[in-house]
Amino acid sequence: MSERKENPWILLPLLLCLGGMLLLGCFWQGRYEKASYVQVSRFYQTIRNNNPEMEADLLFSLKEYLSLSAEEQSDTGYQEDFLEKYGYSKEDFGHEQEAGVIFLQGGVMAGILAGFLFSARQEAGRKRRRIGELTVCLEKANEGENIPLILEEEDEFSSLQDEIYKTVGHLYTMRENAEKARENFRENLINIAHQIKTPLTAALLTLQIMEKKEPGRYTEAIGRQLRRLNRLEEELMLLSTIDSGTLTLRREPVDVYTVLELAAENLAEFAEDRGIQIQVPDRGRAEFTGDMEWTMEAIMNLLKNSMEHSPEGSRILCDYSSNFLYTEIRILDEGEGFLPEDIPHLFERFYRGKNKRDQGLGIGLSLAGSLLEMQNGLISAGNRPEGGAYFEIRFYRTDSAGA
């Protein structure tokens, strides 16, 4: 976690405090000068009332005194303690005492304010430190590390800290349970696939013998179902390999037109039986980084799904395009389309749509989605405005593959 920089705005309250002290000093200085002026004025008025003939001499003396600077007053013999020999002291003049008290009060107020600002800054620093510690806890938890135990006295963050520990602990437990459930699911898939494989192999061998000795429509129907079971067994094994993370995919340039052509060729017989035409127009050069074989496997699953829901005599268009962000493949059919409630669940494992006309087990689309996502692909599906369904695949660029 990067070290936090000091916020320069924290100095603003201190500057305001100093400005306030300066204004307070100017204010009380004005009060002091006014008090001095009033006291001197009353003193001269008292002398004039008692001795009216001295008014002109008093005004002349005052004017002469005010015209002298402090240094000139000292040079001409003015003494600060002149009145002491007549029994007077500075305490007898209340305005000086009032000014001292005022300045003392101002100093105390300034000290209190400065102390408050210092305490506020210390408290803000403590809160930032505590928030930083809790942030580190969440960062470590997000990275899968064990979060450190922070021992602090009870404060306003203690409840939040306790809840973070509880939540993170609960998430750890949920993650461990999810990993165990996923591993159990993978093992069950492997066991089911192996349990199917042994009798299936024996049944296929028996079918071959039957086809040689007594060929007929019954053996053809049995063969079709056995081949379907064999395909199911292969898909279950592939799913378990994907779940365990042991499926290795190549990372090499794949030509889109080539992979679509190969997928269409592999399904040519299946399409001919259903009276469906697969079209792959040549849109020029377009590539993505992935695995040719497994991409072809995924696209074949999508094409099979489209053919199973398309009427005889229709066509399936495999179109594609490319730009600097991604390479896109679109599979468009002229079938009945998807039910709206099925679309959000099409790529969920073992999900079967509301239309039970097909006998699929809900593996093909899920398998295709997993294979494409492992190659940085994103797949979606929906209905076309003019009728029919579509699959859209986007392979986003992570290298310098050209458009």
Side-chain angles (χ1 to χ4, degrees), residues 182-193:
R182 182 177 179 179
E183 182 63 22
N184 291 335
F185 183 75
R186 185 185 69 85
E187 292 178 356
N188 289 335
L189 282 181
I190 295 176
N191 292 333
I192 292 172

Side-chain angles (χ1 to χ4, degrees), residues 37-139:
Y37 171 78
V38 170
Q39 192 165 17
V40 171
S41 178
R42 290 174 178 174
F43 174 70
Y44 272 74
Q45 184 179 6
T46 302
I47 296 177
R48 190 204 63 176
N49 292 338
N50 294 330
N51 302 278
E53 69 279 4
M54 296 181 62
E55 181 175 359
D57 294 334
L58 289 174
L59 292 176
F60 177 79
S61 299
L62 178 62
K63 184 176 182 181
E64 181 181 9
Y65 174 78
L66 293 176
S67 65
L68 297 177
S69 64
E71 294 180 356
E72 291 174 336
Q73 292 175 6
S74 177
D75 293 340
T76 54
Y78 288 99
Q79 300 177 5
E80 294 182 358
D81 56 351
F82 175 76
L83 294 177
E84 286 187 2
K85 62 183 178 180
Y86 298 104
Y88 295 98
S89 64
K90 61 182 180 180
E91 285 77 12
D92 296 325
F93 297 84
H95 67 277
E96 290 189 2
Q97 183 178 8
E98 180 184 2
V101 172
I102 289 173
F103 276 106
L104 178 61
Q105 291 176 346
V108 171
M109 291 177 60
I112 293 174
L113 183 58
F116 173 76
L117 292 175
F118 178 78
S119 299
R121 183 174 181 181
Q122 291 293 105
E123 180 66 13
R126 184 190 68 82
K127 290 182 177 180
R128 285 198 303 272
R129 178 177 59 83
R130 291 285 282 136
I131 293 173
E133 291 172 348
L134 297 177
T135 303
V136 169
C137 289
L138 292 176
E139 289 175 351

